[in-house]
């Protein structure tokens, strides 16, 4: 299990609450970050990839914050209500404790397994004084530039974004304008409560206090109903379930499209310009997420996502590497002219320039999702097959062509080994689908192409002097941690001598210390970007998989436990870790990292059971 929660002083880095001192709430349409200081510093409305209404995590002055906190705040702790997406922050003052419960409320009877909106378009905050008279500050300062006025039923904020014309605030205590926003200070006696709710449905007509406890209870019930069907076992079963819940919080209910992360522009290194908008769906990330969702007992999102992504491919005529939640391409990458960035790490970016890149692994990712669908017992009819075959043909023609690779380098393209290998995956999975469902395909040509791509990828990327596969065809360049995924995708066996020595080369050359790995070294594998970055968590989980696959179970288990211990007390993980300080870096929470918790946990358990059976 991850580290237990206990009260700690709230400390700041350059005036910012550390990334790891946040929890995540959401409703399948959007999400928010709740800080251990009682502030909500991230909320995009009305959907995950909409502009932020609150972005204080990127600028403590201009970004915006919704705050409920005691005065003075001495220490705090956070926990999730068991098996749910409802978060409780306990904030200690000199005179007692303020317990704040946060959620995005769900409809009564909501079924999170259905591909329909479950939320009420409401962020609900419910605070209760425990143990004494507590001085409390309540405030809302939206992102700079947002205007507001008062109605009989609360406050209205002008928010003309993506069909949401207005955002409404209702509070059980009177708030007054204070320049940027609204605020008040009051004393709550033991047992007294206050409620603040933010609505963005466009149909706000609330004139009386909502029954906050009832809404929280029905939200907890919906989450528990969904999580009760999860199959998570092993030494980190609790963290695995929390990782599944986190992935669900990052998942768009209507499409099954999972975001890479909840945020934009949290830096991969303090002060670095390596700041990217991750609030979109990468087909690569979704492929890995689909895999784990099926194996823990929830195939519904995976099924919906396959239909959604193929609809997008048919509409556009080609597959794209990423999509906005409406199925379109994300917007052009722009730099925010106002927000100064987390701890001054500029620029803050919206949109993602990688939309213009070639990444040939997308062909294999899509066909592999269809393969998972087929293996779950679902039919592959002629219409689905007709959508898949052009993707396979594109893999055949593209595998040797330089691209930007899985890490989306912004230097000149190279023939990345991972990309070529995933073109083989497209052919291999398509051939298996065709055989299983007796579908027509150009047997000789496809099977010959599959052999050619597979053999050439392993032969051309192998460097016999260094005894390792390399990041690109031709055997030059550095090692790349993405190579650790080759046996995971069944391109090569875990215990093939070449893969064993490649694993050793990656562990030695990309070592960041304490079991952490860099994904590559920019000074060896140029990516066209200045500055450095932290250790990429998923790569270390891939190392766990390889150690387990090679029969080195004690080493694999030790590394897995070490990685899981890096989760914050809520069980949440970022994209990257600072190898010197252990602080969280990059966007947060990161879907890939939680996929690693689940996939490696499942693989370890399977290997341990197999080993026990043989013993």
């Amino acid at each position: 299990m991850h580290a237990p929660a206990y009260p700690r002083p709230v400390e700041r880095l350059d005036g910012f609450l550390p990334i790891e001192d946040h929890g995540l709430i959401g409703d399948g349409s959007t999400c928010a970050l709740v800080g251990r200081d009682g502030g909500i510093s991230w909320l995009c409305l009305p959907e995950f990839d909409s502009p932020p209404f609150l972005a204080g995590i990127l600028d403590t002055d201009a970004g915006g914050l919704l705050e409920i906190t005691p005065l003075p705040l001495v220490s705090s702790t956070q926990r999730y209500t068991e098996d749910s997406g409802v978060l409780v922050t306990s904030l200690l003052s000199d005179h007692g404790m303020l317990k704040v419960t946060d959620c995005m409320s769900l409809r009564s009877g909501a079924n999170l397994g259905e591909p329909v909106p479950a939320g009420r378009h409401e962020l609900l905050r419910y605070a209760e004084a425990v143990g004494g008279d507590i001085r409390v500050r309540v405030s809302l300062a939206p992102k700079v530039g947002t205007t507001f006025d008062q109605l009989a039923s609360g406050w209205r904020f002008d928010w003309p974004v993506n069909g949401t014309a207005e955002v409404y605030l209702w509070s059980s205590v009177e708030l007054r304008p204070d320049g940027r926003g609204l605020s008040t200070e009051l004393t709550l006696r033991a047992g007294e409560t206050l409620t603040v709710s933010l609505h963005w449905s466009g149909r706000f007509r609330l004139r009386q206090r909502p029954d906050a406890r009832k809404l929280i209870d029905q939200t907890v019930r919906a989450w528990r109903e969904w999580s009760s069907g999860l199959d998570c076992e092993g030494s980190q079963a609790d963290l695995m379930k929390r990782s599944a819940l986190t992935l669900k919080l990052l998942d768009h209910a209507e499409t099954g499209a999972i975001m890479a992360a909840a945020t934009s522009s949290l830096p991969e290194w303090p002060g670095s310009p390596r700041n990217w908008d991750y609030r979109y769906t990468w087909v690569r990330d979704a492929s890995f997420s689909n895999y784990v969702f099926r194996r823990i007992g929830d195939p519904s999102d995976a099924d919906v996502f396959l239909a959604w992504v193929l609809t997008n491919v048919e509409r556009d005529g080609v597959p794209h590497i990423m999509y906005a939640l409406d199925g379109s391409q994300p917007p052009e990458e722009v730099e925010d002219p106002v927000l100064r960035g987390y701890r001054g790490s500029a620029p803050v970016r919206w949109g993602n320039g990688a939309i213009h890149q070639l990444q040939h692994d997308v062909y294999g990712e899509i066909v592999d999702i269809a393969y998972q669908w087929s293996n779950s017992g679902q039919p592959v009819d002629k219409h689905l097959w007709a959508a898949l075959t052009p993707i396979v043909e594109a893999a055949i023609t593209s595998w040797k062509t330089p691209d930007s690779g899985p890490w989306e380098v912004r230097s000149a393209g190279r023939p990345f080994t991972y990309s070529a290998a995933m073109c083989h995956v497209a052919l291999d999975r398509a051939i298996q689908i065709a055989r299983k469902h007796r579908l027509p395909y150009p047997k000789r040509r496809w099977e010959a192409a599959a052999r050619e791509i597979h053999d050439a990828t392993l032969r051309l990327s192998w460097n016999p002097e260094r005894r390792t596969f390399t990041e690109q065809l031709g055997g030059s360049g550095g090692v790349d941690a993405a190579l650790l995924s080759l046996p995971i995708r069944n391109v090569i066996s875990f215990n093939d001598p070449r893969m064993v020595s490649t694993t050793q080369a990656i562990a030695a050359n990309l070592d960041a210390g304490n079991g952490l790995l860099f994904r590559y070294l920019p000074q060896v594998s140029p990516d066209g970007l200045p500055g450095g970055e932290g250790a990429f968590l998923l790569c270390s989980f891939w190392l766990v998989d390889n150690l387990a696959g090679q029969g080195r179970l004690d080493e694999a288990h030790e590394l897995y436990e070490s990685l899981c211990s890096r989760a914050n007390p809520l069980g949440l993980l970022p994209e990257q870790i600072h190898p010197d300080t252990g602080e969280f870096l990059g966007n947060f929470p990161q879907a890939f990292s939680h996929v690693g918790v689940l996939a490696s946990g499942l693989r370890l358990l399977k290997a341990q059971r197999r080993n026990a059976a043989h013993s």
Side-chain angles (χ1 to χ4, degrees), residues 171-183:
S171 172
S172 64
V173 296
E174 183 181 359
L175 300 176
R176 293 175 291 275
D178 62 4
R180 264 285 305 282
L182 305 165
S183 64

Side-chain angles (χ1 to χ4, degrees), residues 1-5 80 236 238-240 242 564-572:
M1 181 60 182
H2 49 281
Y80 280 107
Q236 293 289 338
D238 290 341
L239 183 60
M240 289 172 69
R242 177 48 56 189
C564 290
S565 73
R566 294 185 178 275
N568 75 2
L570 293 172
L572 303 180

Side-chain angles (χ1 to χ4, degrees), residues 19 21-27 30-35 42 48 78-80 84-88 102-104 223 242-243 245-251 259 261-263 568 570 572-573 588-591 594:
I19 295 170
D21 280 359
H22 293 84
L24 180 72
I25 59 174
D27 63 0
T30 191
C31 63
L33 291 184
V34 183
W42 181 258
F48 294 114
Q78 289 183 308
R79 64 175 178 84
Y80 280 107
S84 82
V86 175
L87 183 64
V88 179
D102 287 295
C103 68
M104 289 191 178
W223 278 107
R242 177 48 56 189
S243 289
L245 285 156
T246 302
L247 290 174
K248 190 66 172 176
L249 283 165
L250 295 173
D251 188 65
M259 292 187 302
T263 57
N568 75 2
L570 293 172
L572 303 180
L573 287 163
F588 171 84
Q590 175 87 356
H594 291 280

Side-chain angles (χ1 to χ4, degrees), residues 36-38 67-73 75-77 88-101 125-138 186-189 192-194:
R36 204 163 56 81
D37 59 354
E67 182 182 43
I68 301 178
T69 194
L71 301 172
L73 172 59
S75 61
S76 71
T77 186
V88 179
T89 306
S90 298
L91 303 129
L92 278 68
S93 74
D94 292 335
H95 303 290
M97 180 176 71
L98 185 69
K99 187 172 73 172
V100 181
T101 301
R125 311 203 74 188
Y126 177 71
E128 179 182 5
V130 179
D133 296 348
I134 303 174
R135 193 68 180 166
V136 179
R137 173 176 170 80
V138 181
L186 70 153
T187 298
L188 287 183
R189 295 181 172 85
E192 291 184 336
T193 65
L194 67 84

Side-chain angles (χ1 to χ4, degrees), residues 220-233:
V220 169
R221 280 195 300 272
W223 278 107
R224 286 180 174 170
E225 177 65 25
W226 179 79
S227 63
S228 66
L230 299 176
D231 182 14
C232 299
E233 298 181 72

Side-chain angles (χ1 to χ4, degrees), residues 57-363:
I57 198 169
L58 296 178
D59 191 317
T60 54
D61 297 320
L65 185 72
L66 173 55
E67 182 182 43
I68 301 178
T69 194
L71 301 172
L73 172 59
V74 176
S75 61
S76 71
T77 186
Q78 289 183 308
R79 64 175 178 84
Y80 280 107
T81 300
E82 187 177 3
D83 294 343
S84 82
V86 175
L87 183 64
V88 179
T89 306
S90 298
L91 303 129
L92 278 68
S93 74
D94 292 335
H95 303 290
M97 180 176 71
L98 185 69
K99 187 172 73 172
V100 181
T101 301
D102 287 295
C103 68
M104 289 191 178
S105 61
L106 303 181
R107 292 180 286 101
S108 177
N111 182 350
L112 293 172
E114 294 182 346
V116 294
R120 300 174 67 251
H121 308 286
E122 174 189 49
L123 190 157
L124 181 64
R125 311 203 74 188
Y126 177 71
E128 179 182 5
V130 179
D133 296 348
I134 303 174
R135 193 68 180 166
V136 179
R137 173 176 170 80
V138 181
S139 66
L140 170 61
K143 186 171 178 285
V144 68
T146 306
T147 60
F148 59 93
D149 58 358
Q150 189 169 19
L151 305 175
S153 55
W155 293 87
R156 176 178 61 196
F157 293 80
D158 184 26
W159 190 244
V161 174
N162 294 351
T164 297
E166 296 156 335
V167 175
Y168 298 91
L169 177 74
W170 184 90
S171 172
S172 64
V173 296
E174 183 181 359
L175 300 176
R176 293 175 291 275
D178 62 4
R180 264 285 305 282
L182 305 165
S183 64
T184 192
E185 292 184 12
L186 70 153
T187 298
L188 287 183
R189 295 181 172 85
E192 291 184 336
T193 65
L194 67 84
T195 302
V196 174
S197 58
L198 201 66
H199 296 253
W200 52 90
S201 68
R203 298 184 297 275
F204 182 76
R205 297 293 182 271
L206 190 62
R207 293 180 180 274
Q208 70 283 341
R209 179 175 182 154
D211 188 339
R213 284 295 349 159
K214 177 182 177 182
L215 291 172
I216 291 168
D217 289 346
Q218 74 186 33
T219 300
V220 169
R221 280 195 300 272
W223 278 107
R224 286 180 174 170
E225 177 65 25
W226 179 79
S227 63
S228 66
L230 299 176
D231 182 14
C232 299
E233 298 181 72
S235 63
Q236 293 289 338
D238 290 341
L239 183 60
M240 289 172 69
K241 179 172 277 192
R242 177 48 56 189
S243 289
L245 285 156
T246 302
L247 290 174
K248 190 66 172 176
L249 283 165
L250 295 173
D251 188 65
H252 188 240
E254 294 180 66
T255 63
I258 196 162
M259 292 187 302
T263 57
S264 175
S265 299
L266 292 181
E268 295 175 356
W269 192 262
S272 167
R274 294 171 180 256
N275 315 318
W276 315 113
D277 192 347
Y278 276 12
R279 300 169 304 139
Y280 308 109
T281 294
W282 273 254
V283 177
R284 179 187 310 114
D285 300 44
S287 176
F288 281 98
S289 301
N290 278 205
Y291 173 86
V292 296
F293 268 135
R294 288 193 184 280
R295 277 149 186 79
I296 60 174
D298 181 47
S300 57
D301 289 302
D303 293 348
V304 173
F305 179 76
L306 175 62
W308 181 73
V309 74
L310 288 177
T311 297
N312 297 337
V313 171
E314 287 181 298
R315 180 198 62 228
D316 299 340
V318 294
H320 296 293
I321 63 172
M322 73 175 85
Y323 294 93
L325 296 180
D326 63 1
S328 68
Q329 284 294 274
E332 294 287 340
E333 186 173 289
V334 297
E335 297 182 2
D336 193 293
V338 175
L339 301 183
R340 59 191 177 97
Y342 174 77
R343 297 179 62 190
S345 298
V348 168
R349 291 185 171 95
W350 310 116
N352 199 298
I355 57 174
H356 299 298
Q357 291 186 352
L358 292 175
Q359 295 176 28
H360 299 316
D361 68 298
V362 69
Y363 310 123

